[in-house]
Amino acid sequence: DALSDDHDAQLGAYREGSDYMHYSALTDADKTEMQTTLAEMNEEGRRRGLPELHMGIALHIGPVVAGNIGSHDHVKYGVVGPAVNLLSRIQGLASGGEILLSDALVKRVETMIDVGAARIETVKGPSDPVTVSALLAAREAGGGSAEATTART
């Protein structure tokens, strides 16, 4: 299983070349909503004396093999492939509150986003280092104003 028990994933499958494919990956309210919900949970946890939880998010683009995997007794829908493995490695680099994007994704959507300084990381698997950037904001569709969906860090 490419996704271990301590990692969740959301897969968006879109037709290659679709503008929606690139923009929706960044503007889904889910990404920042997850961070907001976690902050609310931590606030409640502090009142109860519980330790804080932290979550990092990663976004990457690449081909995957998707479908039902398993046997007659146990079948689940899953995705496998180098893109899934790299995504998992990048997510492991993301600190709490951070949304990291792969260089491959940044290059595809650079006119739609604001990112922090690129950093080069060595991860298990790929022979070459990977370049990642923190998402600062996703711009409005159509190149709109600076009113953006901002990642909480």
Side-chain angles (χ1 to χ4, degrees), residues 5-36:
D5 291 337
D6 62 340
H7 295 83
D8 286 333
Q10 178 181 13
L11 172 68
Y14 303 102
R15 186 170 42 90
E16 178 65 28
S18 163
D19 288 340
Y20 180 75
M21 173 181 74
H22 303 131
Y23 188 73
S24 69
L26 300 171
T27 59
D28 280 346
D30 293 347
K31 280 105 185 133
T32 52
E33 188 176 317
M34 287 189 294
Q35 299 288 11
T36 301

Side-chain angles (χ1 to χ4, degrees), residues 82 84-90 93 121-130:
V84 176
N85 297 338
L86 181 55
L87 175 62
S88 178
R89 302 295 182 209
I90 294 170
L93 298 171
E121 299 280 355
T122 301
V123 297
K124 182 179 174 184
S127 56
D128 294 328
V130 298

Side-chain angles (χ1 to χ4, degrees), residues 86-148:
L86 181 55
L87 175 62
S88 178
R89 302 295 182 209
I90 294 170
Q91 192 275 328
L93 298 171
S95 62
E98 187 174 42
I99 300 175
L100 283 182
L101 287 84
S102 68
D103 191 47
L105 182 58
V106 169
K107 287 177 181 174
R108 297 284 282 277
V109 297
E110 60 190 357
T111 62
M112 302 176 196
I113 58 173
D114 295 317
V115 295
R119 65 185 210 226
I120 299 172
E121 299 280 355
T122 301
V123 297
K124 182 179 174 184
S127 56
D128 294 328
V130 298
T131 303
V132 297
S133 302
L135 177 65
L136 302 177
R139 299 183 193 131
E140 296 279 331
S145 70
E147 294 176 28

Side-chain angles (χ1 to χ4, degrees), residues 33-53:
E33 188 176 317
M34 287 189 294
Q35 299 288 11
T36 301
T37 300
L38 183 61
E40 292 167 359
M41 288 174 51
N42 279 331
E43 187 176 318
E44 175 65 24
R46 278 190 294 280
R47 287 194 290 270
R48 295 178 178 199
L50 299 172
E52 279 197 21
L53 301 174

